Amino acid sequence: MMFEPPIPVLLPHGLFDEDGRCHRQGELRPLTGRDEWTLAVAGDRPDPRAVSELLASCLGRLGDYPRVDAALTSALTRGDRHHLTLHLRARMYGDRMSLVARCPAPGCGAMADVDVRLSTLAPERPDAAPEVLSVALPEGRAEVREPTGEDDAVLADVAGPRSERSALLWSRLVEVDGRPLTPDGWKALPAKSRHAVAVALAEGTTAPDLGLLGRCPRCAAWLELELDPFALLARELRGGAARLESEVHCLAFHYHWSETDILALPRARRWRYLELLRNELEGRPLVDGWS
Ligand SMILES: [Zn+2]
């Protein structure tokens, strides 16, 4: 198909505006060649800001926001960003996916396939989610929100031990009796209170559950793995980078289009032009039924 219409996608959490209205209904456009290339060279762990740019370029609209920019996609929850990325992946490569993991059992180490359907990982959630979750603590009423792309971008800039980074994240997510916390304020809460907040978020989250289970084919041990949707899509696009280069070469060589113009096309359109070109070069009808 030459022109791919945007597909509707309902975010599990959605973006709350200043009036408290939630915007969940989005439109997902196909990635352009430029987007594919950017993510293909982004490395194993794409930077959260690069993910925001990518999501902004393929999210056509969101609720009452007719235009979506990176500031808006960075304000989406991590779960919504994972949801969108899984749908992008399914659109490009299909709903089924096979991951390979090494068996952790001592002395085994066999490679096991774990098959996943992305639609079961990121199902549509018709029910609206609350903007924040509330927990009653001895210290007061805590409100916790889901982490966003902006939180992940801030964390990516901070070095230091895991415990410090974790305290920084929680201090951004949690307020007690309407008062924001500092990282030290979070650490000063009793362990029981911190645990209660973490449990409330884990139970109330709308994020896709990315923990996968498989069975070792040799020793039948259980394998657990955690899917990172951004890393997955980046890895698959990296695998197609050489093909993308040859597509640009072939279209530029025959049509004399610029690299910029070719990379502005989504994959389906590039492939359709390549198909027409092959028909032309092989002397076949360009379109069935035409001479
Ligand atoms: Zn095993």
Side-chain angles (χ1 to χ4, degrees):
M1 185 173 22
M2 186 73 103
F3 295 98
E4 289 177 276
I7 50 171
V9 53
L10 186 68
L11 297 183
H13 186 273
L15 188 70
F16 286 80
D17 63 24
E18 286 177 354
D19 299 326
R21 283 186 312 138
C22 183
H23 302 266
R24 295 178 68 201
Q25 186 65 59
E27 262 183 13
L28 206 53
R29 295 191 292 230
L31 294 180
T32 64
R34 171 71 58 202
D35 299 327
E36 290 177 42
W37 187 257
T38 304
L39 202 52
V41 297
D44 286 336
R45 300 260 157 208
D47 181 76
R49 292 187 180 87
V51 173
S52 297
E53 294 285 348
L54 176 92
L55 293 177
S57 81
C58 57
L59 195 54
R61 61 176 300 130
L62 180 64
D64 292 341
Y65 296 96
R67 287 175 58 83
V68 176
D69 60 15
L72 195 148
T73 53
S74 71
L76 293 177
T77 63
R78 191 190 284 164
D80 281 356
R81 289 156 61 91
H82 283 161
H83 184 89
L84 284 169
T85 306
L86 291 173
H87 280 266
L88 270 178
R89 192 278 173 193
R91 186 169 191 176
M92 292 197 78
Y93 299 104
D95 188 43
R96 277 178 174 278
M97 191 174 66
S98 223
L99 297 169
V100 180
R102 189 177 290 281
C103 174
C108 180
M111 301 305 280
D113 289 328
V114 181
D115 292 321
V116 200
R117 276 186 173 277
L118 299 175
S119 49
T120 58
L121 281 186
E124 189 157 283
R125 297 172 61 107
D127 296 340
E131 185 173 8
V132 293
L133 299 158
S134 286
V135 203
L137 302 178
E139 295 75 24
R141 196 170 70 93
E143 287 194 330
V144 57
R145 62 171 176 84
E146 299 201 22
T148 63
E150 180 59 25
D151 295 315
D152 285 335
V154 168
L155 281 189
D157 288 342
V158 178
R162 190 186 164 89
S163 60
E164 294 298 323
R165 291 159 47 82
S166 165
L168 172 63
L169 177 62
W170 283 111
S171 73
R172 294 174 60 89
L173 305 182
V174 181
E175 291 188 352
V176 179
D177 281 339
R179 288 188 304 275
L181 288 176
T182 60
D184 284 338
W186 167 258
K187 286 192 282 185
L189 285 177
K192 208 171 165 184
S193 293
R194 282 182 276 138
H195 182 68
V197 171
V199 168
L201 184 57
E203 287 178 349
T205 186
T206 53
D209 181 1
L210 302 172
L212 307 175
L213 272 182
R215 231 41 217 267
C216 172
R218 190 188 293 165
C219 73
W222 285 104
L223 301 140
E224 280 179 71
L225 52 141
E226 180 84 11
L227 183 69
D228 178 339
F230 310 136
L232 167 79
L233 187 59
R235 191 167 65 237
E236 288 178 312
L237 290 172
R238 193 156 61 242
R243 168 163 181 150
L244 178 58
E245 276 180 326
S246 59
E247 288 172 21
V248 172
H249 162 74
C250 195
L251 291 172
F253 184 80
H254 288 284
Y255 288 112
H256 309 291
W257 295 337
S258 73
E259 182 190 71
T260 305
D261 289 344
I262 296 166
L263 288 176
L265 298 173
R267 190 173 66 171
R269 290 186 65 188
R270 297 193 310 271
W271 287 12
R272 179 63 181 140
Y273 282 120
L274 289 166
E275 187 188 356
L276 289 169
L277 200 53
R278 196 180 62 229
N279 290 349
E280 173 93 50
L281 294 173
E282 292 176 357
R284 287 188 285 171
L286 285 184
V287 179
D288 286 344
W290 288 22
S291 59

Coordinates of all heavy atoms in Angstrom, one line a residue, residues 114-155:
V114 N 11.7 -17.6 23.6 CA 10.6 -17.1 24.3 C 9.7 -16.4 23.3 O 10.1 -15.4 22.7 CB 10.9 -16.2 25.5 CG1 9.7 -15.8 26.2 CG2 11.9 -16.9 26.4
D115 N 8.5 -17.0 23.0 CA 7.6 -16.4 22.0 C 6.6 -15.4 22.7 O 6.1 -15.8 23.8 CB 6.9 -17.5 21.3 CG 7.8 -18.3 20.4 OD1 8.7 -17.6 19.8 OD2 7.7 -19.5 20.3
V116 N 6.4 -14.3 22.1 CA 5.5 -13.3 22.7 C 4.6 -12.7 21.6 O 5.0 -12.6 20.4 CB 6.3 -12.1 23.2 CG1 5.5 -11.3 24.2 CG2 7.7 -12.4 23.7
R117 N 3.4 -12.4 22.0 CA 2.5 -11.6 21.1 C 2.4 -10.2 21.7 O 2.0 -10.1 22.9 CB 1.1 -12.2 21.0 CG 1.0 -13.3 20.0 CD -0.5 -13.8 19.9 NE -0.6 -14.7 18.8 CZ -0.8 -14.4 17.6 NH1 -0.8 -13.1 17.3 NH2 -0.9 -15.3 16.6
L118 N 2.8 -9.2 20.9 CA 2.8 -7.9 21.4 C 1.4 -7.4 21.9 O 1.3 -6.6 22.8 CB 3.4 -6.9 20.4 CG 4.9 -7.3 20.1 CD1 5.4 -6.4 19.0 CD2 5.8 -7.2 21.3
S119 N 0.4 -7.9 21.2 CA -1.0 -7.4 21.5 C -1.4 -7.9 22.9 O -2.2 -7.3 23.5 CB -2.0 -7.9 20.5 OG -1.8 -9.3 20.2
T120 N -0.8 -9.0 23.4 CA -1.1 -9.5 24.7 C -0.3 -8.7 25.8 O -0.7 -8.6 26.9 CB -0.9 -11.0 24.9 OG1 0.5 -11.3 24.6 CG2 -1.7 -11.8 24.0
L121 N 0.9 -8.2 25.3 CA 1.7 -7.4 26.3 C 1.1 -6.0 26.5 O 1.2 -5.4 27.5 CB 3.1 -7.2 25.7 CG 4.1 -8.3 25.9 CD1 5.5 -7.8 25.4 CD2 4.2 -8.8 27.3
A122 N 0.6 -5.5 25.4 CA 0.1 -4.1 25.4 C -1.4 -4.1 24.9 O -1.7 -3.6 23.9 CB 1.0 -3.2 24.5
P123 N -2.3 -4.7 25.7 CA -3.7 -4.7 25.3 C -4.3 -3.3 25.5 O -3.8 -2.5 26.2 CB -4.3 -5.7 26.3 CG -3.5 -5.6 27.5 CD -2.1 -5.2 27.1
E124 N -5.5 -3.2 24.9 CA -6.2 -1.9 25.1 C -6.9 -1.9 26.4 O -7.4 -2.9 26.8 CB -7.3 -1.7 24.0 CG -7.9 -0.4 24.0 CD -8.5 0.0 22.6 OE1 -7.7 0.3 21.7 OE2 -9.7 -0.1 22.5
R125 N -6.8 -0.8 27.2 CA -7.4 -0.7 28.5 C -8.5 0.3 28.4 O -8.2 1.5 28.4 CB -6.4 -0.3 29.5 CG -5.2 -1.2 29.8 CD -4.2 -0.6 30.7 NE -4.8 -0.3 32.0 CZ -4.5 -0.9 33.1 NH1 -3.6 -1.9 33.0 NH2 -5.0 -0.6 34.2
P126 N -9.7 -0.1 28.3 CA -10.8 0.8 28.1 C -11.0 1.7 29.3 O -11.4 2.9 29.2 CB -12.1 0.0 27.9 CG -11.6 -1.4 27.8 CD -10.2 -1.5 28.3
D127 N -10.7 1.2 30.6 CA -11.0 2.0 31.8 C -10.0 3.1 31.9 O -8.8 2.9 31.8 CB -11.0 1.1 33.0 CG -12.1 0.1 33.0 OD1 -13.1 0.3 32.2 OD2 -12.0 -0.9 33.7
A128 N -10.5 4.3 32.3 CA -9.6 5.4 32.6 C -8.8 5.2 33.8 O -9.3 4.6 34.8 CB -10.4 6.7 32.7
A129 N -7.5 5.7 33.8 CA -6.7 5.5 35.0 C -6.7 6.8 35.8 O -6.8 7.9 35.2 CB -5.3 5.2 34.6
P130 N -6.5 6.8 37.1 CA -6.4 8.1 37.9 C -5.1 8.8 37.6 O -4.1 8.1 37.2 CB -6.5 7.6 39.3 CG -6.0 6.2 39.3 CD -6.4 5.6 38.0
E131 N -5.0 10.1 37.7 CA -3.8 10.8 37.4 C -2.7 10.4 38.5 O -1.6 10.3 38.1 CB -4.1 12.3 37.5 CG -2.8 13.1 37.1 CD -3.1 14.6 37.0 OE1 -4.3 15.0 37.3 OE2 -2.3 15.4 36.5
V132 N -3.1 10.3 39.7 CA -2.2 9.9 40.8 C -2.9 8.9 41.6 O -4.1 8.7 41.7 CB -1.8 11.1 41.7 CG1 -0.9 12.1 40.9 CG2 -3.0 11.8 42.3
L133 N -2.0 8.1 42.4 CA -2.6 7.1 43.3 C -2.3 7.6 44.7 O -1.3 8.2 45.0 CB -1.8 5.8 43.1 CG -1.9 5.2 41.7 CD1 -0.8 4.2 41.3 CD2 -3.3 4.5 41.5
S134 N -3.3 7.3 45.6 CA -3.2 7.8 47.0 C -2.9 6.6 47.9 O -3.4 5.5 47.7 CB -4.5 8.4 47.4 OG -4.6 9.6 46.8
V135 N -2.1 6.9 48.9 CA -1.8 5.9 49.9 C -1.8 6.6 51.3 O -1.2 7.7 51.4 CB -0.3 5.3 49.8 CG1 -0.2 3.9 50.5 CG2 0.1 5.3 48.4
A136 N -2.5 6.0 52.3 CA -2.5 6.6 53.6 C -1.2 6.0 54.4 O -1.1 4.8 54.5 CB -3.7 6.2 54.4
L137 N -0.4 7.0 54.8 CA 0.8 6.6 55.5 C 0.7 7.2 56.9 O 0.0 8.2 57.1 CB 2.1 7.2 54.9 CG 2.4 6.8 53.4 CD1 3.7 7.5 53.0 CD2 2.5 5.3 53.3
P138 N 1.4 6.7 57.9 CA 1.5 7.3 59.2 C 1.9 8.7 59.2 O 1.5 9.6 60.0 CB 2.5 6.4 60.0 CG 2.6 5.1 59.3 CD 2.3 5.4 57.9
E139 N 2.8 9.1 58.1 CA 3.3 10.4 58.0 C 2.3 11.4 57.3 O 2.6 12.6 57.3 CB 4.6 10.4 57.1 CG 5.7 9.6 57.8 CD 5.6 8.1 57.7 OE1 4.9 7.6 56.8 OE2 6.2 7.4 58.6
G140 N 1.2 10.8 56.8 CA 0.3 11.7 56.1 C -0.2 11.0 54.8 O 0.1 9.8 54.6
R141 N -1.0 11.7 54.0 CA -1.5 11.0 52.8 C -0.5 11.2 51.7 O -0.1 12.4 51.3 CB -2.8 11.7 52.4 CG -3.6 10.8 51.4 CD -5.0 11.4 51.2 NE -5.0 12.7 50.5 CZ -5.2 12.8 49.2 NH1 -5.4 11.7 48.5 NH2 -5.1 14.0 48.7
A142 N 0.0 10.1 51.1 CA 1.0 10.2 50.0 C 0.2 10.1 48.7 O -0.7 9.4 48.6 CB 2.0 9.1 50.1
E143 N 0.7 10.9 47.7 CA 0.2 10.7 46.3 C 1.4 10.4 45.5 O 2.5 11.0 45.6 CB -0.4 12.0 45.8 CG -1.7 12.3 46.5 CD -2.5 13.4 45.8 OE1 -1.9 14.3 45.2 OE2 -3.8 13.3 45.8
V144 N 1.2 9.3 44.7 CA 2.4 8.9 43.8 C 1.9 8.9 42.4 O 0.7 8.5 42.1 CB 2.9 7.5 44.3 CG1 1.9 6.4 44.3 CG2 4.1 7.1 43.4
R145 N 2.7 9.3 41.4 CA 2.4 9.3 40.0 C 3.3 8.3 39.3 O 4.4 8.0 39.8 CB 2.4 10.7 39.4 CG 3.8 11.3 39.4 CD 3.9 12.6 38.6 NE 5.2 13.2 38.7 CZ 6.3 12.9 38.0 NH1 6.2 11.9 37.1 NH2 7.4 13.4 38.2
E146 N 2.9 7.9 38.1 CA 3.8 7.0 37.3 C 5.0 7.8 36.8 O 4.8 9.0 36.4 CB 3.0 6.4 36.2 CG 1.8 5.6 36.7 CD 1.3 4.6 35.7 OE1 2.1 4.2 34.8 OE2 0.2 4.1 35.9
P147 N 6.1 7.2 36.6 CA 7.3 7.9 36.0 C 7.0 8.2 34.6 O 6.3 7.5 33.9 CB 8.4 6.9 36.2 CG 7.8 5.6 36.4 CD 6.5 5.9 37.0
T148 N 7.6 9.3 34.1 CA 7.4 9.8 32.7 C 8.7 9.7 32.0 O 9.8 9.5 32.6 CB 6.9 11.3 32.7 OG1 8.0 12.1 33.3 CG2 5.6 11.4 33.5
G149 N 8.7 10.1 30.7 CA 9.9 10.2 29.9 C 10.8 11.2 30.4 O 12.0 11.1 30.4
E150 N 10.2 12.3 31.0 CA 11.0 13.4 31.5 C 11.8 12.9 32.7 O 13.0 13.2 32.9 CB 10.1 14.6 31.9 CG 10.9 15.8 32.5 CD 11.9 16.4 31.6 OE1 11.8 16.2 30.3 OE2 12.9 17.0 32.1
D151 N 11.1 12.1 33.6 CA 11.9 11.5 34.7 C 13.0 10.7 34.2 O 14.1 10.7 34.8 CB 10.9 10.6 35.6 CG 9.8 11.5 36.2 OD1 10.1 12.5 36.8 OD2 8.6 11.0 36.2
D152 N 12.8 9.9 33.2 CA 13.8 9.0 32.7 C 15.0 9.8 32.1 O 16.1 9.5 32.2 CB 13.3 8.0 31.6 CG 12.5 6.9 32.3 OD1 12.7 6.6 33.5 OD2 11.6 6.4 31.6
A153 N 14.6 11.0 31.5 CA 15.7 11.8 30.9 C 16.5 12.4 32.0 O 17.8 12.5 31.9 CB 15.0 12.9 30.0
V154 N 15.9 12.9 33.1 CA 16.7 13.4 34.2 C 17.6 12.4 34.8 O 18.8 12.6 35.1 CB 15.7 14.0 35.3 CG1 16.4 14.3 36.6 CG2 15.0 15.2 34.8
L155 N 17.0 11.1 35.0 CA 17.8 10.1 35.6 C 19.0 9.7 34.7 O 20.1 9.4 35.2 CB 17.0 8.8 35.8 CG 16.0 8.7 37.0 CD1 15.5 7.3 37.1 CD2 16.8 9.1 38.3

